[in-house]
Amino acid sequence: MQTQPYRIQKAAVIGAGVMGAAIAAQLANAGIPVTLLDIVLPDNPDRNFLAKQGIQRALKARPAAFMDPARAALITPGNLEDDLKKLKDADWILEAIIEKLDAKRDLWARVEGVAKKTAIISSNSSGIPMHLQIEGRSEDFQRRFVGAHFFNPPRYLHLLEVIPTPKTDPAVLEAFSEFGENVLGKGIVVANDVPGFVANRIGVYGIIRAMQHMERTGLTPDEVDQLTGPALGRAKSATFRTADLSGLDIIYHVANDLGKATPDDEDFTLTDTFRRIVEEKKFLGDKTGSGFYKKTKDEKGKTKILSLNLDTLEYEDRGKVKVPAVEAVKSQPLAARVKALYGAEGKEGDFLRGVMNDGFWYAAKMAGHVSNRLQNIDNALKWGFGWEEGPFETMDTLGVQTVIANLEAEGRTLPPLLQAMKESGRERFYEGDTTVTPTGEPTKYEAPYFIIADLKKDATKVVKKRAGASIVDLGDGVLLVEWHAKMNALGEDQLRAVQDAHKLVGEMGYAGLVLGNQGENFSAGANLPLILSQAQAEEWDELDDAIKQFQQVSTSMRFSPHPTVAAPFGMALGGGCEFSIHADHIVASAETYMGLVEVGVGLIPGGGGTKEMLLRFTDQLQPNQPLLPAVQRAFELIATAKVSTSALDARKLGFLRDHDTVVMNRNHIIEEAKRMVLALAPGYIQPTPRQDIPVMGDAAIAAVKLALYGMTEGGYASKYDAEVGTQLARVLSGGTGNNRNAKVSEGHLLDLEREAFLTLLGKKGTQQRIEHMLKTGKPLRN
């Protein structure tokens, strides 16, 4: 068996600026040791100052660059004068230095002298063609060179553009793409070595054209961002907030460079207003504190967002802008919103059709030029700019022939791809398992990862379906319970689906069960509006039955006769966390924000979460160690509603166990969860509930009450916080009347949970907290 020559186990990043340090942090997040090098500052006695500064900047970054600050220890700082020889140990060497061709060529000449012969070499350049950088280097060096363009911030933006040159060894391209996808957790788009590659070429074009259409129609930046944000299936930062985040100077330079490198009909011409903003005003976006928007504080210290008046170039408080065209459709599904906005009347519709048609025309023109697959263009915009649908997918939503007719009505010459679509009469770019090539010829569609929706196109794979949940046959004897309600809030449909799935596994002889989905988040927790309405109607018997059912279904993830695996990602809060922590195994996305947050609405975890965390922390104690530290740890975790900042943090907090799996690429967790079910199934023994959990009884309640008194007197907790905390302490103690040596069952703790949950739900303070959360999305400190 031949060993893979390009296996990446150690890396080096050259350039410790914002991007280089953040890429080093992502490597560390993935567990890869990395050497971070930069130049030596002549007047600084610390020759590694810039590299150390880069690490510190990454540690202080918000949003956080590190999934766990302890991972910073995997980065070794150095400098290019003393430590260049350290590159000989690196399997992958990436440069993230100044965007000047001569500087990059000089660096590669030095690197070639020390890098080992199996090292992959890469540039993170966002615009300088890769083949120009390696002119004059040896054939062997050029064979191992491939572009690696990350998007900022590298931890959170999924896109990694991989850019081979004509000299790149296909084995290098394959090995590096697998590393980027599986180890770094990135969505890989193979781009052609052309100016701007894929995402920036099309994305910056869109920003420039949006500026032109905004000035033409007389809209304001905040109105445009309402039109081109979530309503259109785009990121919350929309167009001009994204520009501020990226840096207006960066867009200015990229647009100028692309304008010089591309044909005149592509029109990367910056408006005079944009040039004045950058050249005269020096409003460069977030880096200077002002761009299209500016943050300020009012007389009460509350943050306010001011918007730039494009006529005066002064900032003004426009309040919360509401665009009628957006307000009319915001509650509708994405497809309905896109169709309605594309056909809207007035200047808003005029603007949107102009921008969208520009984008459609340009994406079609770039097909085959920036990349050889349409899905690479769609994925680049989705993963790099946060779109829900790429340009070709959006044309499918509108109907390709409708878009073509509109483009022709504007007098545009159709790019070859659209001309071919017109002649074929094909209405969609993606149809079943087929798509088209850049020349319009049908070809097989290759999904970049396992997609549940694609599997469900085979009706036989959907075993059972409810409005808010489905049971799907993943193949090989594994069932999937997929929640698909808004925010995946947990209600009757979600609970029934889990019960039905357990029954089907038993009756049909399946191996086991995966709990997961591919929505925006795993689950934001219980259905609060329903709980509040039942409490206000004083339907206590119904609520008691509902909580009991919730406990039974949640704990069935542990006590079923077959293995269950939870696959959380994004938000896994409240009940979503409780279901996960009861599974036999968790396969979590690295970006999992897990927590028991019920105290924020005046409740405690009632689906077994309180019981489970006490049990976990108690089991971790050494023999004869006092129980109080376990009680205190569970109390602090729940009473402060701690939410993990990553899966690595979830492991430190105790939500994930040592044997649970963390997957860097969220798109792979369903497949990994399925593999785990199949690994657990042979010889699986059904667990039984514990009957011997040690508790402290009244002693624990007294200790927690004393701590609550101190927190209340010190202003760290409100009186109602203390009331909620007292109910939590009662559960964690095993109930009143027990002594220090008492032992209770899991069922007893679940009964205490349910009683505390109902008691709090009947109180005015809790109902006020729930109402406030539903109204504002923020917790109430009453």
Side-chain angles (χ1 to χ4, degrees):
M1 186 182 205
Q2 193 170 11
T3 304
Q4 166 58 260
Y6 300 117
R7 186 179 180 190
I8 298 174
Q9 295 178 300
K10 294 181 180 179
V13 175
I14 302 172
V18 172
M19 201 64 185
I23 294 170
Q26 183 65 4
L27 280 158
N29 289 335
I32 302 294
V34 54
T35 300
L36 180 62
L37 305 181
D38 211 311
I39 62 173
V40 175
L41 291 179
D43 298 326
N44 194 309
D46 187 348
R47 295 174 65 80
N48 298 336
F49 174 78
L50 287 178
K52 291 178 180 177
Q53 182 185 59
I55 297 170
Q56 290 303 311
R57 186 191 302 112
L59 282 165
K60 296 174 183 177
R62 293 294 178 269
F66 288 100
M67 295 178 182
D68 178 357
R71 289 290 171 109
L74 287 171
I75 305 177
T76 302
N79 67 78
L80 284 166
E81 293 182 17
D82 304 325
D83 303 309
L84 192 67
K85 58 184 178 295
K86 291 183 179 179
L87 298 182
K88 67 180 176 60
D89 296 324
D91 303 306
W92 177 43
I93 300 170
L94 172 81
E95 71 81 14
I97 65 171
I98 190 170
E99 285 285 85
K100 291 185 178 180
L101 179 57
D102 288 345
K104 294 181 188 294
R105 283 176 169 172
D106 289 345
L107 176 64
W108 294 137
R110 298 177 65 190
V111 168
E112 184 171 12
V114 294
K116 63 183 180 181
K117 297 301 182 182
T118 56
I120 296 175
I121 315 294
S122 297
S123 169
N124 181 57
S125 174
S126 60
I128 298 176
M130 299 299 163
H131 67 277
L132 295 180
Q133 297 186 39
I134 55 175
E135 286 182 352
R137 303 273 57 80
S138 69
E139 287 291 324
D140 180 64
F141 186 92
Q142 294 186 34
R143 183 175 57 82
R144 292 182 285 112
F145 188 91
V146 62
H149 181 217
F150 289 82
F151 276 65
N152 193 33
R155 173 181 167 184
Y156 300 97
L157 287 186
H158 191 54
L159 178 61
L160 173 58
E161 290 180 321
V162 178
I163 308 107
T165 76
K167 298 291 184 68
T168 302
D169 184 344
V172 168
L173 176 62
E174 181 182 3
F176 183 72
S177 297
E178 288 182 0
F179 172 77
E181 181 174 5
N182 298 326
V183 179
L184 296 183
K186 295 295 155 193
I188 303 300
V189 164
V190 177
N192 294 336
D193 192 14
V194 296
F197 311 128
V198 180
N200 278 344
R201 180 72 171 264
I202 296 174
V204 171
Y205 179 84
I207 291 173
I208 299 307
R209 296 298 292 165
M211 186 74 183
Q212 294 172 354
H213 287 294
M214 176 173 65
E215 294 189 29
R216 176 179 62 81
T217 56
L219 293 173
T220 63
D222 42 13
E223 288 174 331
V224 167
D225 279 352
Q226 286 288 310
L227 289 164
T228 60
L232 201 62
R234 309 280 174 87
K236 289 181 180 179
S237 55
T239 299
F240 295 113
R241 180 76 187 103
T242 296
D244 278 357
L245 289 166
S246 301
L248 304 193
D249 55 332
I250 301 298
I251 292 172
Y252 175 91
H253 290 300
V254 170
N256 283 333
D257 290 344
L258 287 172
K260 295 173 185 176
T262 56
D264 292 339
D265 69 338
E266 295 187 19
D267 195 5
F268 281 93
T269 305
L270 294 165
T271 66
D272 290 339
T273 303
F274 193 101
R275 289 188 178 279
R276 287 186 61 204
I277 291 169
V278 175
E279 295 172 359
E280 295 178 22
K281 292 294 187 177
K282 307 297 182 186
F283 296 160
L284 307 183
D286 282 12
K287 66 179 70 176
T288 60
S290 56
F292 285 102
Y293 300 99
K294 180 179 181 179
K295 282 186 181 180
T296 186
K297 293 186 181 294
D298 61 18
E299 61 278 2
K300 296 181 180 179
K302 187 177 180 180
T303 299
K304 296 175 67 176
I305 306 295
L306 305 182
S307 178
L308 185 65
N309 183 311
L310 298 180
D311 294 324
T312 65
L313 296 190
E314 299 290 336
Y315 292 96
E316 56 189 30
D317 183 1
R318 288 172 44 81
K320 189 172 183 179
V321 174
K322 291 188 176 182
V323 176
V326 173
E327 294 298 309
V329 301
K330 65 181 183 181
S331 62
Q332 297 179 21
L334 176 61
R337 298 198 307 268
V338 169
K339 290 177 181 178
L341 290 170
Y342 188 65
E345 298 181 353
K347 61 182 181 180
E348 291 90 355
D350 185 19
F351 166 84
L352 274 175
R353 278 185 296 279
V355 169
M356 293 173 74
N357 284 341
D358 279 346
F360 298 149
W361 175 86
Y362 194 59
K365 185 176 188 290
M366 289 297 99
H369 180 64
V370 296
S371 185
N372 299 325
R373 293 180 178 176
L374 303 194
Q375 55 263 48
N376 276 345
I377 294 176
D378 278 339
N379 288 335
L381 273 299
K382 290 192 291 186
W383 297 340
F385 285 85
W387 295 12
E388 288 186 54
E389 292 183 338
F392 297 107
E393 292 169 325
T394 305
M395 283 190 268
D396 280 357
T397 296
L398 295 170
V400 174
Q401 299 304 323
T402 297
V403 172
I404 289 172
N406 283 340
L407 290 174
E408 289 187 317
E410 293 179 357
R412 297 176 186 255
T413 300
L414 295 178
L417 170 59
L418 292 182
Q419 183 63 41
M421 293 291 285
K422 178 184 177 180
E423 292 172 0
S424 70
R426 185 169 173 140
E427 194 62 45
R428 298 177 60 85
F429 289 104
Y430 302 101
E431 193 72 59
D433 62 352
T434 68
T435 182
V436 295
T437 67
T439 57
E441 298 170 359
T443 185
K444 187 172 177 59
Y445 170 71
E446 297 179 13
Y449 54 89
F450 168 77
I451 299 174
I452 297 172
D454 287 348
L455 180 67
K456 289 164 64 178
K457 289 175 182 176
D458 179 353
T460 65
K461 295 296 184 181
V462 182
V463 181
K464 195 166 187 177
K465 185 174 183 179
R466 296 174 178 270
S470 298
I471 301 173
V472 182
D473 187 343
L474 291 177
D476 301 318
V478 179
L479 285 183
L480 168 74
V481 174
E482 177 200 20
W483 295 330
H484 41 70
K486 183 178 180 180
M487 296 295 287
N488 283 327
L490 302 179
E492 184 73 13
D493 279 355
Q494 290 71 37
L495 300 186
R496 290 292 186 190
V498 176
Q499 290 176 315
D500 291 343
H502 283 313
K503 186 177 180 182
L504 285 166
V505 171
E507 290 178 349
M508 305 299 292
Y510 285 93
L513 179 65
V514 170
L515 181 63
N517 62 80
Q518 290 177 328
E520 187 175 348
N521 293 286
F522 179 72
S523 174
N527 187 334
L528 284 178
L530 177 61
I531 291 173
L532 178 62
S533 66
Q534 288 183 295
Q536 291 174 334
E538 298 186 353
E539 297 174 353
W540 302 116
D541 288 342
E542 292 84 349
L543 277 166
D544 186 48
D545 289 341
I547 300 164
K548 189 177 295 184
Q549 181 195 27
F550 197 101
Q551 290 180 332
Q552 290 170 345
V553 178
S554 176
T555 56
S556 73
M557 294 292 289
R558 170 77 42 78
F559 302 118
S560 61
H562 46 260
T564 61
V565 176
F569 61 92
M571 288 193 293
L573 304 177
C577 178
E578 289 178 298
F579 269 88
S580 297
I581 62 180
H582 279 96
D584 291 298
H585 192 93
I586 297 176
V587 174
S589 163
E591 298 295 347
T592 298
Y593 317 120
M594 184 176 280
L596 298 168
V597 297
E598 287 82 354
V599 296
V601 289
L603 296 167
I604 72 163
T610 306
K611 175 271 303 179
E612 182 63 20
M613 298 319 296
L614 175 66
L615 185 55
R616 286 191 181 193
F617 296 152
T618 301
D619 285 347
Q620 291 173 15
L621 295 174
Q622 298 298 317
N624 301 318
Q625 186 178 350
L627 289 176
L628 188 58
V631 175
Q632 290 172 324
R633 186 179 174 191
F635 180 83
E636 181 184 357
L637 181 72
I638 297 170
T640 59
K642 284 188 178 178
V643 176
S644 69
T645 57
S646 68
L648 301 183
D649 189 42
R651 181 165 278 151
K652 291 173 68 175
L653 292 176
F655 295 126
L656 297 185
R657 299 152 295 189
D658 289 343
H659 68 266
D660 287 327
T661 304
V662 174
V663 175
M664 288 294 288
N665 195 324
R666 162 178 163 172
N667 295 329
H668 294 175
I669 60 174
I670 298 295
E671 290 176 287
E672 183 59 34
K674 174 185 171 181
R675 283 193 287 270
M676 185 54 63
V677 167
L678 294 174
L680 293 172
Y684 182 80
I685 299 174
Q686 181 178 0
T688 55
R690 293 270 296 275
Q691 307 294 326
D692 60 345
I693 304 167
V695 294
M696 289 182 63
D698 293 334
I701 296 177
V704 172
K705 280 187 173 180
L706 181 62
L708 283 171
Y709 176 79
M711 291 170 66
T712 304
E713 291 297 305
Y716 299 107
S718 69
K719 288 186 177 180
Y720 199 70
D721 287 333
E723 191 162 347
V724 176
T726 299
Q727 289 292 334
L728 175 60
R730 186 167 171 270
V731 180
L732 293 173
S733 70
T736 56
N738 286 318
N739 60 38
R740 289 177 177 270
N741 299 314
K743 291 187 177 180
V744 299
S745 67
E746 290 191 51
H748 176 73
L749 291 176
L750 289 172
D751 288 342
L752 291 174
E753 267 191 9
R754 191 167 66 257
E755 182 182 335
F757 192 96
L758 286 168
T759 298
L760 289 168
L761 194 52
K763 293 182 179 294
K764 183 179 179 180
T766 290
Q767 294 183 18
Q768 288 175 335
R769 286 192 174 191
I770 296 175
E771 287 176 333
H772 190 268
M773 178 63 76
L774 293 173
K775 184 177 180 180
T776 69
K778 298 177 181 178
L780 173 68
R781 295 296 302 276
N782 55 347

